[in-house]
Every structure is written in C-alpha cells, then in structure tokens.
Amino acid sequence: MQNQTILVLDFGGQYKELIASAVRELGVFSMIKPGSMPIEDIKALKPIGIILTGGPNSVYLNSSPKCDKALFELNIPVLGICYGMQLMCHILGGEVGSSIKGEYGKVLIKNESARNSKIMPSRDFIALMSHRDSVKKVPSGFDITAVTDDCIAAIENTDINLFGVQFHPETKDTSFGKEIFKNFVFDICKATGDYKLGDYLSEEIKNIREKVGNKKVLLALSGGVDSSVCAAILDKAIGKQLTCVFVDHGFMRKNEGDWIESIFKNYNFKFIRINAEDRFLKKLKDITCSEQKRKIVGQEFIKVFDEESKKVNAEFLGQGTIYPDVVESGGEDGKSAVIKAHHNVGGLPDDFDLNRLVEPLRGLFKNEVRALGKKLKLPKNLVHRQPFPGPGLSIRIMGEVTKEKLDVLRDVDAIFRQEVDKLTPGKKPSQYFAVLTNTKSVGVKGDARTYDFVVALRAVTTSDFMTCDYTRLDHKLLSAASKRITNEIASVSRVVFDITDKPPSTVEWE
C-alpha cells in the first residue's frame, strides 16, 4: 500500500499498539518496527513522521535500547512518548535521571507555554503517567511546554519538529490524547488522511490471489469475529478454493457449536465441523498450567487441520490472527515480553504439511477487523461478538480441565450472560464471562453443609481491549445472577465478582 506512513519505533512499550491504532483511527497508516531499526531502512520507508514508544528501561544505562542519533537529523518530525521523550533528550545532550518519587496513574498536566505549543492543548488536563525516571535538563533549543508537580511533562523544538511528552496520550485515561495525535499527524507531519480500510481490503484480496494462485486454502474457523472476517475475505478472494473447518474442541460455551454451524453452513465455501471433545480432553488430562493448555490446544488444532487438509488437498492454512495476538505472544521477532501465548502464533511444526500461512488480518487491530466485518456485510451479532479465547473454556477453568468442570462452567457462564443481556445495549460491558476457580468453599443448602466450587464473574469496559476498567454492574444484577447460579447449579457454593482493571490484570484470568 502506497499510503503516507507514520512509523512507530518500539522500545518495549506496553502501549505501542495503542499508539499505532490511534494514528490509524485518524485515517493515517502506521506500522510498528523495532527501535533499533537501521537508519537506511527507515529512509526506505519514507515515513512522514516517527513516534518513539515508552519502555521499561533507563536510557542512561548502557544496556538500554537506543536509536541512532541520525534519526533526529532526517528532517522528519519525531514525537517521543515517555521513554521515547527521555531517549530523545539523552541522545541530544539533555539530562535524564531517576527521581525519588515516581508518577503512576492519573496526574494533572499544567501548561507552561500553551500559546506557543504546536501539539499541546491550550489548558491544563489529566493524563496517565507511568515512570520513575524523568528529564532533568532539556537539550539546547527545546522549550518546556508542560509540567506536573514533580517532572517536566512535555517539550518541543519547533525549529526541527522534535516533540516529547512524558505521559501517555494513547490511553483513554489521558484527556485530549486524540487532539495531541491529531496535531502531530496533521499539523506537524502534514498527513492527508489517505488510509482507508476499503483500500486495505482491495489490496489484501489482490495479495491473497497472487500468493495462493489456484491452490486450495484450509481456514481454521472458530466462529469468532477474527476468523469469521478472515473467512469472508478469503471467500471474496478465492471462493471455492476455500474450505473452512470448525473444530469443536468441547471447550465452547453452551450451545455455541450449534449456533456457529447454523450460520456458516449456509455460506458458499465448504464448511466442515469436527466434534473432538474427547480428543482434546484426553490431551489436557492432568495439565494445570494455562500456557501448557494453550500450547497443547494449539498443537492439537494443527494436527486436526493437517488431517483435514490431506482430504481436500489444501496447501495453505488460513488463520484469523490479528496484531494484538502477535504482540502478546512476543512480537514478530519473538524478542518482546510474552504476556500470554496465543495458539495461532509462534510458527508451525517442521513436519506439518500445511506450512504456508494466509493471515489477512495479521496487521489489524480489533476495531479495524469489526469495521471490515461490517463492510463485508457479516451478521451484526457476529461482528460485535465478544472476544473468546481460542482454547475456549479450558483457560477459564483454573487447574485441570474435566468434563464435569466444563459442564458446570457452561451453565454458570450461560446464566451470567443471560442476566447481563437484560441490560440495554448502551449499558452492557464490552466483555463478560464466568471463571471456574480452582477453589472449593463451605456452603449451606437445605440445612446441610456443602463443599463446592467457587466461581468468579468478570465484566470489563474497554474501547480497545489493550486496557480496560472493570464494569460497575448493578448489585441487583449481580445478586440475581448469584442466586440463580447457586440455586440452579448444585455443585457451586459461592460466587465472587472480579473488580480488577487491566493493567494490572489481563481481561482473561489465564
């Protein structure tokens, strides 16, 4: 795609994908590359602007990731965020050091020279901070445009279009964050907003046709948003060359397998359902570690697809992998921190015959995938379906997975979702589900002592699933769900509600 590009250079920042997504939402293409990217490679991409991400390191240590000083001499506007701002100052002759007091959470940002700033809002505002190191002295030629009670919060050198902010404008907890990105991208970088998902779709269909030729593709179809949109794109690109295989591993929610089959059996591509509950349960026997569960489920998926591919003579494996899957699994090069392994990321075994991948969504964020789903006229209840992990309920069961636990969790989850679904659409959480903990608790039912499962209910509100707040559900709703669960499910004695945000937790428990 020959779009104007904002290059996001990553130094280990947990919010790098939010930065790239924020730029794309403005209609400008962005891509994430390692902070160590050679200058010649950067020049070859011809970016109209560069954003340096945050990161967990201290710039003044020799072991910390750095960029070439020549980056700031390319006559390309640069915005440094958190570690990115500190790095800019450190390289250009400023001073960065550790502070006695760190800043974490929401902090008041005070403007120092609002009338002169090219990107900062013209008033004080609240922003998300997460740092202990801070800029002590700015490089020559830079102005301080904002401060907090404890640090320099924003700087700029308008003569050479270099800007820095200590806070995180990419998060929802920063007021005017979108305005800051808009000012940088359009006023400083002179973007025209030429990135459109319709163009992406056309280009991707063309790429798929060139890559696949007249060969056949086997798509791993889970019925989730990502794989469903992937199926629709592949259907447009290669039509009857596509076979979609839905592997029902037995870890789906109540009646979900039947619902998925009812939707996709009416499409033009060939749809195959494989009922494999016994097979997957056997593989997870005695397994308690969530990462092992994910890997085992992923490996078994591959084996099933390998078997099915031979039946239809497929040479490519289609997957609905999206960018956050890649990021959380360690990044494209596998060198970043692993938040949690995704079964569809990490490569294929050497002996796998179906070793060529088609992943049209790999560079997209969830909001972009949903937008494509609408363009492709997929059913609304599918496009807006809640995220559901590939290993399904197996990772919403703490400890070993058994048929008994699956049946209990399916019923608990169904009751909770039924109660939440009574809310009007605008008041519903972004995602809500139940977890079967690995704990049992004393209870009383019918004047008799019980010792049964403890279940946890989880509901979150988010715009991007990279950060989230727990949803403040009404206590009447929670009480109704708890009473139904303990009354209708004999093997549950206690219900708890998870009130943890992301971070520090993730949306899923494991």
Side-chain angles (χ1 to χ4, degrees):
M1 296 177 65
Q2 301 302 312
N3 299 101
Q4 291 181 320
T5 299
I6 297 291
L7 179 61
V8 179
L9 293 181
D10 174 35
F11 295 93
Q14 61 177 317
Y15 299 133
K16 53 184 168 284
E17 53 271 23
L18 290 185
I19 296 171
S21 182
V23 173
R24 290 194 194 181
E25 286 176 6
L26 295 172
V28 180
F29 185 69
S30 63
M31 63 171 64
I32 301 173
K33 295 292 183 180
S36 59
M37 189 177 191
I39 290 296
E40 292 306 314
D41 292 349
I42 293 175
K43 287 181 180 178
L45 289 176
K46 299 180 180 179
I48 61 170
I50 298 171
I51 300 177
L52 312 180
T53 75
N57 299 284
S58 295
V59 296
Y60 44 80
L61 298 179
N62 291 333
S63 58
S64 297
K66 306 287 196 306
C67 63
D68 194 318
K69 184 178 181 180
L71 175 74
F72 305 107
E73 301 167 354
L74 294 175
N75 199 29
I76 298 172
V78 179
L79 170 62
I81 296 176
C82 196
Y83 180 90
M85 168 175 149
Q86 296 171 12
L87 181 63
M88 182 188 298
C89 288
H90 177 75
I91 290 176
L92 296 180
E95 181 183 340
V96 179
S98 178
S99 301
I100 297 175
K101 180 182 176 183
E103 288 182 311
Y104 302 97
K106 297 178 183 179
V107 176
L108 178 63
I109 308 295
K110 304 173 187 177
N111 264 278
E112 287 288 284
S113 56
R115 285 180 298 176
N116 298 324
S117 175
K118 282 193 172 184
I119 67 169
M120 293 290 287
S122 58
R123 52 167 291 181
D124 296 351
F125 60 98
I126 298 296
L128 181 71
M129 286 282 198
S130 183
H131 71 103
R132 181 168 292 278
D133 288 346
S134 60
V135 174
K136 306 298 182 181
K137 177 184 174 184
V138 300
S140 176
F142 279 78
D143 294 318
I144 297 172
T145 56
V147 298
T148 70
D149 288 340
D150 298 296
C151 81
I152 296 172
I155 61 172
E156 60 185 51
N157 184 330
T158 55
D159 292 335
I160 53 177
N161 280 333
L162 299 182
F163 303 83
V165 294
Q166 182 61 62
F167 54 90
H168 290 275
E170 68 273 24
T171 69
K172 59 181 174 52
D173 290 326
T174 295
S175 304
F176 301 104
K178 289 184 179 180
E179 179 182 323
I180 290 170
F181 279 117
K182 185 177 180 181
N183 292 341
F184 178 71
V185 169
F186 290 106
D187 295 344
I188 307 301
C189 301
K190 307 301 181 184
T192 58
D194 63 353
Y195 172 64
K196 297 177 178 61
L197 274 178
D199 297 338
Y200 178 93
L201 181 60
S202 301
E203 188 73 16
E204 196 57 41
I205 288 173
K206 176 184 174 183
N207 291 339
I208 291 168
R209 287 172 178 164
E210 290 178 355
K211 182 175 185 177
V212 172
N214 61 359
K215 310 297 184 190
K216 292 183 178 180
V217 176
L218 186 75
L219 172 65
L221 178 62
S222 70
V225 180
D226 304 331
S227 65
S228 298
V229 173
C230 183
I233 293 174
L234 289 173
D235 190 40
K236 274 188 169 292
I238 57 174
K240 293 181 180 179
Q241 294 167 242
L242 174 65
T243 297
C244 292
V245 176
F246 166 49
V247 179
D248 188 345
H249 45 27
F251 307 147
M252 307 298 289
R253 290 167 287 202
K254 195 167 187 176
N255 302 322
E256 194 166 30
D258 295 339
W259 176 73
I260 291 170
E261 183 174 9
S262 70
I263 293 175
F264 289 105
K265 70 179 182 181
N266 296 319
Y267 275 67
N268 292 323
F269 49 71
K270 186 177 181 181
F271 177 86
I272 299 173
R273 178 177 179 176
I274 308 294
N275 294 309
E277 182 181 59
D278 291 343
R279 175 174 179 167
F280 278 82
L281 272 175
K282 193 176 294 184
K283 288 291 181 180
L284 291 187
K285 184 174 173 56
D286 298 325
I287 302 298
T288 59
C289 172
S290 61
E291 288 302 285
Q292 278 187 279
K293 290 178 188 176
R294 291 177 184 274
K295 290 175 182 176
I296 290 170
V297 169
Q299 290 165 0
E300 201 61 22
F301 264 127
I302 292 296
K303 290 178 183 177
V304 175
F305 296 138
D306 196 21
E307 294 165 9
E308 293 302 315
S309 69
K310 292 178 172 62
K311 298 176 184 177
V312 298
N313 297 316
E315 295 187 28
F316 288 86
L317 175 66
Q319 293 192 136
T321 306
I322 65 173
Y323 190 69
D325 297 342
V326 178
V327 170
E328 291 189 337
S329 297
E332 292 285 359
D333 58 4
K335 295 179 180 179
S336 301
V338 176
I339 307 301
K340 59 185 176 185
H342 289 262
H343 74 277
N344 54 327
V345 179
L348 300 170
D350 294 335
D351 59 352
F352 182 49
D353 290 338
L354 203 61
N355 58 10
R356 287 187 283 179
L357 290 175
V358 180
E359 297 177 309
L361 308 177
R362 191 178 179 93
L364 297 183
F365 298 97
K366 181 70 76 174
N367 61 319
E368 294 178 303
V369 175
R370 292 191 195 279
L372 276 185
K374 292 177 184 177
K375 281 184 174 292
L376 293 164
K377 301 188 185 305
L378 287 169
K380 285 185 179 180
N381 59 343
L382 189 61
V383 171
H384 294 289
R385 189 172 178 231
Q386 292 185 43
F388 188 62
L393 298 181
S394 71
I395 57 165
R396 290 181 180 173
I397 292 173
M398 307 298 104
E400 184 183 4
V401 181
T402 65
K403 178 76 164 91
E404 177 201 7
K405 289 180 179 179
L406 284 165
D407 290 341
V408 169
L409 183 54
R410 263 190 277 267
D411 288 339
V412 171
D413 184 74
I415 290 172
F416 181 47
R417 287 189 291 116
Q418 287 165 11
E419 293 300 318
V420 175
D421 286 343
K422 293 176 183 178
L423 296 172
T424 56
K427 293 186 177 181
K428 281 186 182 180
S430 307
Q431 188 174 357
Y432 44 101
F433 56 90
V435 173
L436 187 66
T437 74
N438 199 25
T439 303
K440 289 192 173 183
S441 173
V442 173
V444 179
K445 291 186 179 181
D447 296 327
R449 178 187 185 277
T450 62
Y451 191 70
D452 292 311
F453 291 118
V454 177
V455 297
L457 307 181
R458 176 79 160 144
V460 299
T461 300
T462 178
S463 59
D464 49 44
F465 287 93
M466 301 310 300
T467 63
C468 73
D469 297 324
Y470 85 87
T471 308
R472 276 67 170 169
L473 291 177
D474 189 278
H475 279 272
K476 290 182 179 179
L477 186 156
L478 292 172
S479 178
S482 177
K483 286 177 180 177
R484 282 194 59 193
I485 290 167
T486 52
N487 286 344
E488 296 176 27
I489 305 171
S491 54
V492 174
S493 67
R494 193 175 299 269
V495 179
V496 299
F497 183 54
D498 182 351
I499 61 169
T500 319
D501 297 336
K502 174 185 180 181
S505 73
T506 56
V507 175
E508 296 288 342
W509 273 37
E510 291 194 332

